[in-house]
Amino acid sequence: MNPTDQAGHSAAPGTRRYDAIVVGARCAGAATAMLLARKGYDVLLLDRASFPSDTVSTHVIHPPGLSALRRWGLLDDLIATGCPWLPAYAFELGPLVITGTPRAADGTAGAYAPRRIVLDELLVRAAQQAGAELREGFSVTELIADGDRVTGVRGHARGGMEISEYARVVIGADGVHSRVAEQVSAAPYREGPVLASAYYAYWSGVPATEARWILRASRGYGLIPTNDGLTLVLVAWPQADLAQVKHDLQGNYLREITAALGARLDGGRQETRIVGEGVPNRFRTPYGPGWALVGDAGYAKDPVTAQGITDAFRDAEICAGALDSVWGGGRGYDEALGEYQQLRDERVLPMYEFTSQFGNLAVPPPPEMLQLLGAIAGSQQAMDDFVSMFAGALPVPEFFSPRHIAALTGADPERPR
Ligand SMILES: Cc1cc2nc3c(=O)[nH]c(=O)nc-3n(C[C@H](O)[C@H](O)[C@H](O)COP(=O)(O)OP(=O)(O)OC[C@H]3O[C@@H](n4cnc5c(N)ncnc54)[C@H](O)[C@@H]3O)c2cc1C
């Protein structure tokens, strides 16, 4: 099939020059395409998947991510899908239990954890409604360049012939194994190894009202309520154990969750097969001549702190704003996209470091951390602060500031009670 006919456009493939081609149409790509299209730009959004479809990812969207959905006019649509509101997060850290409410980021407290078949579909359709041209089932195989400047992409629809499309900028929103990043040799930095691999399935009959993280003896577990009355039940293993675990993934998964969650699974039924993976910890330079990266393509991290979707939304907003300031405001491309990189890194770096420590199941938490968590567990305000920090609604440096730590551990008369 001629992909141009499929998209409903009369121009032949390659004869039109878009403002942006976005490769990857999930939380980073669809959001970026939507925001650019809403500003009136001509956007082509490509994904080898079709929508609605699932991807390997659990679902917690923290308050800052919900604020983005609210700003974009999509939060009510998400709520209308029946996705349960999660007023609290709970952490079981050995014998300690920390339960608190993530504070609101401009009016949106708590969290939602929508299935990706729900969230990504919503974003993709919003991008289309804004005027972006969507081609599903379209795989990008390589980038086209004029000298060192990227000018387009080459790829094909399922079973179709190879075609080329051109744009002022090609945006890689193609996830952690980004073809765009690989093709432009986007420089990695602050790299760390894959720490853990998380595997999960959906269960019926396991009622839960909050998102729960459980860390015990080099294993992580998660219970996350999502759409359709289902609860996602997750196990994370240290990366070094994975080869052994994979010899009998389903058996090991069941043994682990039965031992760790016990009666909480009584009456429950596993409804889907197990999926999962480990994620590298890595930043990449997110722009260059004619290209940019958003979402996991530009910045990936262990999913233990559930930051990826919220980060993808932030990238989409900052990157789309930077491109608009170039095309609509006459700003220099390098200056605007350099600021995108700087803002991204400034905002996520403290959480990246916290995530790298929290997600390292192979090493027990350091004694200072255990001491701190012990002190937090005694105070509701301190637990709310911890949960808010985890949720990105209280800056990590503010939470770990000497003054705040002193207050939490009782070294300060202003200690929260
Ligand atoms: C086990 C696990 C649990 C997680 N839990 C959470 C959580 O609770 N909360 C949270 O916020 N984050 C979580 N994450 C992280 C989150 O999934 C990612 O950060 C997020 O999906 C990144 O979005 P993205 O749009 O950048 O990439 P993706 O969601 O990976 O989307 C990339 C898209 O690009 C398309 N694509 C790739 N290559 C091509 C190509 N060559 N041509 C065309 N299309 C292409 C793919 O088909 C895909 O649709 C989790 C991740 C894992 C692995």
Side-chain angles (χ1 to χ4, degrees):
M1 189 201 301
N2 179 335
T4 308
D5 291 346
Q6 180 195 1
H9 285 270
S10 53
T15 59
R16 175 173 175 189
R17 187 165 178 254
Y18 295 89
D19 291 312
I21 294 174
V22 182
V23 184
R26 294 193 186 270
C27 42
T32 307
M34 175 193 73
L35 293 170
L36 286 172
R38 283 183 180 177
K39 289 175 193 291
Y41 296 109
D42 201 12
V43 181
L44 175 62
L45 178 58
L46 304 171
D47 202 302
R48 63 184 172 209
S50 301
F51 297 91
S53 61
D54 237 325
T55 186
V56 176
S57 168
T58 69
H59 317 309
V60 176
I61 309 179
H62 296 301
L66 298 178
S67 290
L69 290 174
R70 182 194 291 275
R71 279 195 297 283
W72 303 340
L74 299 177
L75 184 59
D76 288 344
D77 295 343
L78 176 68
I79 294 168
T81 68
C83 187
W85 180 55
L86 307 178
Y89 297 173
F91 298 88
E92 295 178 26
L93 307 157
L96 297 173
V97 180
I98 292 176
T99 306
T101 299
R103 71 173 63 158
D106 58 15
T108 315
Y112 285 90
R115 292 274 306 264
R116 294 293 297 265
I117 44 171
V118 171
L119 176 71
D120 296 341
E121 166 75 0
L122 203 131
L123 291 166
V124 155
R125 300 308 160 208
Q128 273 187 304
Q129 271 167 21
E133 177 188 337
L134 172 69
R135 283 189 213 160
E136 302 173 64
F138 188 98
S139 295
V140 170
T141 48
E142 63 179 341
L143 300 186
I144 304 166
D146 181 2
D148 70 348
R149 168 168 295 279
V150 172
T151 55
V153 302
R154 208 165 275 134
H156 56 84
R158 264 178 225 126
M161 57 187 243
E162 190 160 87
I163 61 165
S164 304
E165 295 290 358
Y166 296 88
R168 290 204 267 185
V169 68
V170 172
I171 301 175
D174 47 347
V176 72
H177 307 294
S178 169
R179 171 67 58 97
V180 174
E182 176 202 292
Q183 289 259 307
V184 298
S185 302
Y189 54 98
R190 295 188 188 277
E191 280 186 285
V194 177
L195 296 172
S197 276
Y199 283 81
Y200 61 88
Y202 299 101
W203 288 62
S204 58
V206 180
T209 52
E210 59 208 2
R212 184 170 290 269
W213 286 259
I214 302 166
L215 292 183
R216 270 186 212 150
S218 79
R219 297 283 185 273
Y221 306 89
L223 280 170
I224 302 170
T226 184
N227 292 88
D228 306 320
L230 297 171
T231 296
L232 182 149
V233 181
L234 171 148
V235 184
W237 285 276
Q239 199 60 14
D241 294 0
L242 197 64
Q244 184 63 29
V245 166
K246 277 190 153 175
H247 283 136
D248 178 14
L249 189 55
Q250 171 69 21
N252 282 313
Y253 170 81
L254 277 180
R255 268 187 291 282
E256 288 283 356
I257 57 171
T258 306
L261 304 175
R264 285 185 262 208
L265 296 179
D266 284 354
R269 199 171 86 159
Q270 184 181 336
E271 298 286 355
T272 56
R273 70 186 178 88
I274 309 165
V275 294
E277 65 175 348
V279 179
N281 293 284
R282 175 187 58 214
F283 288 74
R284 283 182 173 129
T285 300
Y287 74 99
W291 61 271
L293 302 175
V294 289
D296 277 10
Y299 164 50
K301 61 269 152 194
D302 190 281
V304 66
T305 49
Q307 301 294 320
I309 298 168
T310 298
D311 285 342
F313 290 171
R314 185 173 36 225
D315 281 4
E317 256 178 352
I318 306 178
C319 185
L323 289 170
D324 183 43
S325 74
V326 176
W327 297 333
R331 212 170 162 207
Y333 178 87
D334 285 341
E335 183 196 326
L337 274 289
E339 189 179 274
Y340 159 53
Q341 177 177 12
Q342 190 192 339
L343 282 175
R344 179 196 69 172
D345 290 7
E346 266 172 25
R347 291 188 190 175
V348 301
L349 192 52
M351 181 55 81
Y352 179 68
E353 286 166 354
F354 175 75
T355 300
S356 302
Q357 191 179 74
F358 200 76
N360 193 349
L361 297 171
V363 180
E368 321 81 78
M369 179 63 88
L370 288 174
Q371 195 192 352
L372 176 64
L373 294 170
I376 288 169
S379 150
Q380 189 57 55
Q381 188 186 326
M383 291 197 287
D384 287 344
D385 279 2
F386 176 79
V387 165
S388 297
M389 179 276 294
F390 192 92
L394 171 66
V396 176
E398 200 176 306
F399 180 83
F400 285 104
S401 71
R403 190 166 182 283
H404 191 242
I405 295 295
L408 294 178
T409 53
D412 185 306
E414 291 172 26
R415 177 188 186 190
R417 293 187 191 283

